Amino acid sequence: REATSTAYQHLHSLLSACTSQTVCSGSPPEDHLVLDARNSGTTATVVLLLPGQRLLLSHVGDSGVALGVRSRLPSSNWVARSLTRDHKPDLPEETARIELAGAQVVQVGQPPNITHRVVSSHQTWPSINMSRSLGDLHAHTQGLSSVPDVVLTEPLWDPAEEEAVVIAGSDGLWDVMSPETAAEIA
């Protein structure tokens, strides 16, 4: 668990260092990566399948993992569920960290299309609708975090009697499809 969390934070630090080098030098030497992660970033999800039908899951942002399980008997239906929780700024613990950094969480849109975004006064970059990411360096000054949620599950299915599918996807999948539908398609 600790290694996974450390890897995410090191990757975020690398994005920050490369951005600093790009921005400060104007034109970095050819052997250096040209990168500017001030206004861009990514979500990240890692899934490790471990012996005994256990999973090690880690993620930041609004990408996530679902598990579908069904009996090996003919005509069985998938039972699926999400194994991760999106890091959205309106979650109480995420809001607290953002507000501690001096930013605020605002609701935007009209029902049923409401989202929450992180903003601060005099902000010159686009607002963001998640509370954890890699990159998005401006937003990290507002309390965003690169620390992942890390979960080591108990055994999730019995391979003698069940089959399973693990699906990792971004919000581009989960915003339009339920875990049940994703399991059926997979």
Side-chain angles (χ1 to χ4, degrees), residues 10-43:
H10 280 303
L11 182 55
H12 180 76
S13 294
L14 178 63
L15 291 170
S16 181
C18 289
T19 296
S20 292
Q21 185 172 20
T22 298
V23 171
C24 292
S25 68
S27 60
E30 291 182 24
D31 63 339
H32 286 88
L33 180 63
V34 177
L35 182 83
D36 187 346
R38 291 176 293 180
N39 291 330
S40 62
T42 188
T43 65

Side-chain angles (χ1 to χ4, degrees), residues 32-162:
H32 286 88
L33 180 63
V34 177
L35 182 83
D36 187 346
R38 291 176 293 180
N39 291 330
S40 62
T42 188
T43 65
T45 301
V46 174
V47 182
L48 296 175
L49 176 59
L50 302 172
Q53 295 68 51
R54 297 173 64 203
L55 299 175
L56 176 65
L57 307 167
S58 61
H59 83 108
V60 295
D62 55 7
S63 58
V65 178
L67 171 73
V69 178
R70 72 177 175 189
S71 169
R72 292 189 179 275
L73 297 174
S75 302
S76 296
N77 294 322
W78 288 103
V79 176
R81 63 186 171 111
S82 181
L83 298 177
T84 54
R85 179 180 70 161
D86 289 351
H87 294 124
K88 294 295 187 180
D90 59 320
L91 296 171
E93 64 273 19
E94 303 293 307
T95 299
R97 186 183 63 249
I98 290 163
E99 290 176 347
L100 187 62
Q104 58 184 215
V105 175
V106 297
Q107 181 177 303
V108 298
Q110 299 296 320
N113 301 314
I114 293 176
T115 189
H116 294 82
R117 294 188 168 272
V118 179
V119 298
S120 51
S121 60
H122 304 57
Q123 180 172 323
T124 59
W125 57 88
S127 61
I128 192 165
N129 70 342
M130 68 185 81
S131 55
R132 299 189 197 192
S133 71
L134 302 176
D136 296 309
L137 301 177
H138 283 321
H140 277 259
T141 67
Q142 299 171 300
L144 262 70
S145 174
S146 60
V147 177
D149 279 343
V150 181
V151 176
L152 178 61
T153 70
E154 295 300 317
L156 294 171
W157 71 94
D158 178 357
E161 298 181 15
E162 300 170 311

Side-chain angles (χ1 to χ4, degrees), residues 65-70 77-83 163-167 174 177-186:
V65 178
L67 171 73
V69 178
R70 72 177 175 189
N77 294 322
W78 288 103
V79 176
R81 63 186 171 111
S82 181
L83 298 177
E163 59 184 343
V165 60
V166 177
I167 305 160
W174 302 124
M177 190 174 295
S178 69
E180 292 79 14
T181 302
E184 290 170 11
I185 293 171

